[in-house]
Amino acid sequence: MTTNLDLTATPISVLPGVGPQRLKTLALLGIQTVHDLLEYFPFRYEDRNAQPGRELADGTRVTVRVIVDGMAGVKYKGRRNSTTIVPVVTEDYKRLHAVWFNQPYLKDQLIPGRKLTITGKYDERRRSIAVATHDFVVAGETVHSDRIVPVYNVKADITPKLLRNLLSSALKKYGDDVPERLPQVLRQRYKLIDRRHAMKEIHFPTNGDGLHQARRRLIFEEFFLFQLKLQAFRWLHRHEQPGVEHQIPEDLLEQFCKRLPFAMTGAQRRVAHEVVRDMTQRVPMNRLIQGDVGSGKTILAFLALFIAVASGHQGAILVPTEILAEQHFRAAVDLLEPLGCRIGLLIGSQKDRERRDVLAKIADGEINVVIGTHALLEEGVQFKSLSVVVTDEQHRFGVEQRAIFRQKGHAPDVLFMSATPIPRTLAMSVFGDLDVSIVDELPAGRQPIQTYWVTPDKEERALRFVRNELVKGRQAYIVTPLVEESEKIEGVVNATDLYLMLKEWFAGYEVGLLHGKLRPAEKEEVMRKFTNNEIQVLVSTTVIEVGVNVPNATAMMVYNAERFGLAQLHQLRGRVGRGEHASSCILMSKPDTEAGQERMKAMVATQDGFVLAEKDLHLRGPGEFFGVRQSGIPEFKIGDLLQDAKIMEVARQEVQQLIAAPDFWTLPAFQPLVEFLKSEKVLLQRAGD
């Protein structure tokens, strides 16, 4: 249904009480139009239906209707602190005192005989109610009392009371102009109320059921429109941009497997066949490979690169750190060069001459497999025929960076990899436009890692445990959250000081220091020495979290483990247990929160990354899950990825069916959704449009 007025273009200044100064403050909340205001949803609600005076419970927040029963008095303590005390009587004749702090100006408004509805904390002994600044209204102002009242996040001079007044005005004036986007067939199928009704109920619920129905409707719509953008993008990518149809000889997979120093696991073979199937199709591959630490995802990436080269094209792999890029480069030279691949490395620390040489060889096709960091995304990097792109640790790259990489070729196949196991609820949101493969089997010979949680008073005992590993000829990682004392946070160990201490503790063994502030060449030298066992103890920050592979390292000790999320601790732990020897991880921590203690217990209880990821999501919430903000995790206005996961799944299924139906793009019932896609810049360049 079309509306007479576009609320997204109707400025908030049309409402009474919104002058120039208030416009600026509202803009800080993201409110500039009537549409923005209506979609500024409450974060909680209070039941402010009035209670009888005889039912007031001591120490609880109460709402009661009263009549001012005498003159207000003001007591001052110092120049600034004051208490305004007003005698009142409830409707059932209970005598009380209403108290306001530091608001002496209210005395003139609180005149005898005035009827009020007040909300505050009740003190039975004093027979008083402590009333906050804006928690009283003159009787009859039902926007703020005698109902379920919305509470909003506010700033500066914008109060919840002001927002309620603005929303009341907006709904009265423009409520009938609220557009309906969801087709009737969907609303009927799920018994969803219409959007106009939902907007009124979400801000001013008539009762608990009205609020429930409004939330249900608006959460479904928010998730549905989010999935619509993802799936429309996916549909266009698959159907409107034909990719490279790689020609793969029947024996290619076996030829590749013969070069491996081990047999592929069943999970690796299953995912390998999925990759091969994708790459032989005209539709561009768009696949995420998820696998726990050490599950062997890199081999699958190398397979995709080999397929590109065997078909006469180029492949590239983008990784987040230079250490990982160099490690992949060495592995690719060993495995892929004998198969006819010519490997190149492109990282930020390369000298200009070396970089120019690599760029020229990429451009003319002499290098047909490129491994690099963010340097690969720069404008000067041109490929002759890029047909497959692999992004390792994909959550570390934002959506825009991934899009730049895609544009380096003509609709290349895209393979994303992540060793951060992502719960299904989150994967649907962040990677909803991808096919997902899971490598859920560890290679034979991977040793289980014994994990211990100890408190700081056991530090000496833990270090003796590490020394015993060194005596056996093994190596160890010692991990801290901070680099140096200049970053000092009380009670948190820093790598620089710890390094100096451990050089003495482990006298007779070589101790190295690795952190992000070292120059790339210095980091590479430290890692080379650790890999070659010239360094036995590596004191490091989380720079070793991703991909570092030293099979002889069998012990890890993490200081201040409470400062890391479960996903990060699991990644760190995955640096040991990579060889034939039994390995251990000691988490030294004294968490001061229940959630911190739960994290430590979970690490000791399981090595299943997916179980830990689910736990981490519940303990920390989606926004903190990855520890980086550019991860593409959506910020929903009303839906909650955890509580409302089932709604997200239903919305996803509905959108998939809708997008696949030819009628979607043409029937009038779906035009509001098509217009929404256009407004969101999801381009619909279809034949015949």
Side-chain angles (χ1 to χ4, degrees):
M1 179 183 285
T2 57
T3 58
N4 297 324
L5 196 62
D6 180 2
L7 299 184
T8 62
T10 305
I12 199 74
S13 55
V14 299
L15 297 176
V18 183
Q21 186 54 46
R22 197 153 276 166
L23 265 178
K24 290 179 185 176
T25 316
L26 285 166
L28 295 176
L29 296 174
I31 301 172
Q32 294 180 298
T33 67
V34 172
H35 168 83
D36 297 334
L37 177 65
L38 293 179
E39 293 207 350
Y40 194 76
F41 299 123
F43 74 94
R44 66 180 175 88
Y45 297 83
E46 288 185 358
D47 186 348
R48 291 199 184 176
N49 285 299
Q51 303 159 250
R54 64 180 177 276
E55 293 181 7
L56 303 183
D58 183 41
T60 63
R61 191 168 167 81
V62 300
T63 297
V64 63
R65 283 195 288 269
V66 299
I67 300 173
V68 178
D69 193 38
M71 297 297 293
V74 181
K75 293 181 180 178
Y76 287 92
K77 187 176 181 180
R79 294 180 60 189
R80 297 193 176 187
N81 298 326
S82 68
T83 306
T84 304
I85 304 172
V86 183
V88 296
V89 61
T90 68
E91 290 180 318
D92 55 350
Y93 305 109
K94 183 169 185 172
R95 294 190 176 279
L96 305 167
H97 286 96
V99 180
W100 284 264
F101 297 106
N102 302 322
Q103 296 165 77
Y105 56 87
L106 293 178
K107 179 181 176 181
D108 297 335
Q109 298 176 39
L110 302 170
I111 56 177
R114 173 157 276 185
K115 294 180 178 180
L116 304 173
T117 301
I118 59 176
T119 298
K121 189 175 183 180
Y122 177 57
D123 185 323
E124 174 66 37
R125 188 172 65 81
R126 291 188 172 89
R127 288 291 189 95
S128 68
I129 297 177
V131 187
T133 313
H134 303 288
D135 286 344
F136 78 99
V137 293
V138 176
E141 291 184 14
T142 55
V143 168
H144 310 291
S145 67
D146 297 306
R147 66 180 313 127
I148 298 172
V149 172
V151 182
Y152 302 88
N153 281 312
V154 293
K155 277 187 181 179
D157 63 337
I158 305 297
T159 65
K161 201 169 182 179
L162 172 65
L163 277 177
R164 287 194 288 268
N165 283 331
L166 288 175
L167 278 154
S168 179
S169 298
L171 285 165
K172 282 175 188 168
K173 192 170 181 181
Y174 301 108
D176 290 341
D177 290 309
V178 171
E180 180 59 78
R181 286 197 182 113
L182 293 183
Q184 190 173 1
V185 64
L186 267 183
R187 300 203 308 274
Q188 287 176 340
R189 186 176 302 151
Y190 295 107
K191 296 183 171 57
L192 299 172
I193 61 175
D194 66 67
R195 197 165 190 266
R196 292 173 185 175
H197 186 193
M199 278 296 178
K200 289 171 183 174
E201 286 290 328
I202 201 71
H203 292 294
F204 300 106
T206 49
N207 53 41
D209 183 62
L211 175 57
H212 172 72
Q213 295 302 333
R215 279 185 56 79
R216 192 169 160 270
R217 153 65 206 237
L218 292 170
I219 291 168
F220 181 87
E221 178 181 357
E222 184 172 39
F223 286 173
F224 182 88
L225 294 178
F226 171 75
Q227 288 291 341
L228 185 67
K229 285 196 289 184
L230 278 182
Q231 302 301 333
F233 178 82
R234 174 193 174 100
W235 194 94
L236 290 164
H237 183 68
R238 291 175 73 88
H239 291 86
E240 308 254 324
Q241 298 182 57
V244 176
E245 199 172 339
H246 292 91
Q247 304 300 315
I248 303 177
E250 283 185 20
D251 66 341
L252 182 135
L253 187 53
E254 292 308 314
Q255 187 185 344
F256 179 80
C257 289
K258 280 178 187 172
R259 283 288 312 157
L260 299 177
F262 50 80
M264 273 193 177
T265 63
Q268 284 175 313
R269 281 191 167 272
R270 184 185 70 246
V271 176
H273 283 294
E274 290 171 348
V275 170
V276 169
R277 186 186 65 227
D278 284 356
M279 293 185 71
T280 53
Q281 294 177 358
R282 193 87 171 124
V283 174
M285 174 170 69
N286 209 30
R287 184 169 292 278
L288 168 69
I289 297 179
Q290 271 191 269
D292 215 335
V293 177
S295 60
K297 297 175 302 301
T298 305
I299 294 302
L300 297 162
F302 286 174
L303 171 63
L305 298 171
F306 175 48
I307 290 170
V309 173
S311 298
H313 301 283
Q314 291 168 293
I317 180 167
L318 175 67
V319 297
T321 67
E322 294 199 355
I323 287 176
L324 189 53
E326 287 159 344
Q327 185 173 295
H328 279 341
F329 174 73
R330 288 191 294 270
V333 167
D334 289 345
L335 178 65
L336 297 180
E337 272 199 349
L339 292 170
C341 299
R342 297 179 299 278
I343 319 298
L345 178 68
L346 194 64
I347 53 178
S349 62
Q350 282 171 320
K351 291 185 169 61
D352 287 345
R353 184 174 176 180
E354 183 184 358
R355 178 183 169 78
R356 283 196 300 272
D357 183 51
V358 172
L359 289 176
K361 288 178 178 177
I362 294 171
D364 67 14
E366 187 179 337
I367 287 175
N368 50 28
V369 169
V370 189
I371 295 164
T373 56
H374 288 78
L376 274 173
L377 300 170
E378 293 171 8
E379 280 185 27
V381 184
Q382 301 293 329
F383 289 83
K384 184 178 182 182
S385 177
L386 180 65
S387 72
V388 67
V389 167
V390 180
T391 307
D392 197 3
E393 286 306 316
Q394 98 99 20
H395 67 271
R396 297 189 169 218
F397 298 100
V399 175
E400 287 139 8
Q401 291 168 305
R402 281 153 31 200
I404 290 169
F405 206 12
R406 266 198 182 111
Q407 290 161 12
K408 300 281 184 185
H410 178 71
D413 285 340
V414 181
L415 187 64
F416 301 110
M417 299 197 300
S418 179
T420 303
I422 301 155
R424 182 167 173 73
T425 47
L426 201 53
M428 280 193 300
S429 306
V430 185
F431 310 127
D433 58 330
L434 307 179
D435 295 310
V436 179
S437 295
I438 297 177
V439 186
D440 52 6
E441 187 180 346
L442 290 178
R446 278 298 297 240
Q447 293 286 329
I449 303 163
Q450 288 298 318
T451 304
Y452 306 96
W453 168 27
V454 301
T455 49
D457 58 314
K458 304 285 194 308
E459 178 184 16
E460 195 168 316
R461 187 175 165 188
L463 289 171
R464 282 202 301 271
F465 180 93
V466 172
R467 178 182 274 277
N468 286 338
E469 289 299 296
L470 303 184
V471 169
K472 296 175 193 173
R474 315 283 176 253
Q475 292 165 269
Y477 296 97
I478 311 283
V479 181
T480 70
L482 298 181
V483 175
E484 55 196 13
E485 195 175 8
S486 61
E487 302 177 78
K488 192 172 180 182
I489 300 171
E490 193 175 346
V492 178
V493 176
N494 71 78
T496 309
D497 288 350
L498 185 64
Y499 165 69
L500 296 173
M501 185 269 280
L502 292 182
K503 282 182 76 170
E504 293 184 24
W505 182 273
F506 294 118
Y509 295 97
E510 192 66 34
V511 180
L513 176 63
L514 184 68
H515 55 71
K517 290 188 176 181
L518 294 175
R519 292 196 301 273
E522 292 173 316
K523 282 190 278 191
E524 169 62 20
E525 179 63 10
V526 172
M527 274 314 303
R528 185 191 64 75
K529 286 184 174 180
F530 188 61
T531 302
N532 295 337
N533 202 2
E534 295 169 37
I535 288 173
Q536 286 75 50
V537 179
L538 183 61
V539 180
S540 175
T541 58
T542 56
V543 71
I544 54 106
E545 176 191 351
V546 176
V548 175
N549 185 27
V550 180
N552 191 50
T554 57
M556 171 170 286
M557 187 170 163
V558 182
Y559 280 77
N560 297 107
E562 74 279 357
R563 296 185 66 84
F564 302 100
L566 278 174
Q568 198 169 33
L569 286 174
H570 185 58
Q571 287 276 355
L572 288 168
R573 177 169 63 183
R575 297 312 104 214
V576 295
R578 304 180 80 85
E580 58 183 320
H581 307 293
S583 296
S584 304
C585 177
I586 301 169
L587 305 173
M588 197 162 70
S589 172
K590 193 173 181 181
D592 53 8
T593 65
E594 196 173 321
Q597 292 171 16
E598 285 293 312
R599 283 208 290 277
M600 295 305 107
K601 290 175 186 174
M603 284 295 295
V604 172
T606 182
Q607 289 184 51
D608 187 320
F610 287 92
V611 171
L612 289 171
E614 196 72 53
K615 184 83 173 174
D616 211 18
L617 185 59
H618 283 270
L619 286 173
R620 300 199 299 160
E624 286 186 65
F625 180 79
F626 284 121
V628 287
R629 260 312 186 186
Q630 66 169 20
S631 57
I633 300 173
E635 291 276 340
F636 292 112
K637 290 182 181 177
I638 191 166
D640 183 288
L641 279 174
L642 300 183
Q643 295 175 16
D644 308 314
K646 288 182 181 175
I647 300 178
M648 177 68 88
E649 177 64 32
V650 170
R652 184 168 178 261
Q653 290 169 358
E654 286 292 343
V655 167
Q656 283 177 331
Q657 291 176 25
L658 198 61
I659 289 283
D663 290 347
F664 171 72
W665 309 97
T666 54
L667 284 183
F670 301 126
Q671 277 308 294
L673 296 177
V674 174
E675 290 302 318
F676 165 76
L677 289 174
K678 288 179 179 175
S679 71
E680 292 292 313
K681 308 291 189 290
V682 180
L683 300 177
L684 303 178
Q685 297 171 347
R686 293 171 45 76
D689 278 7

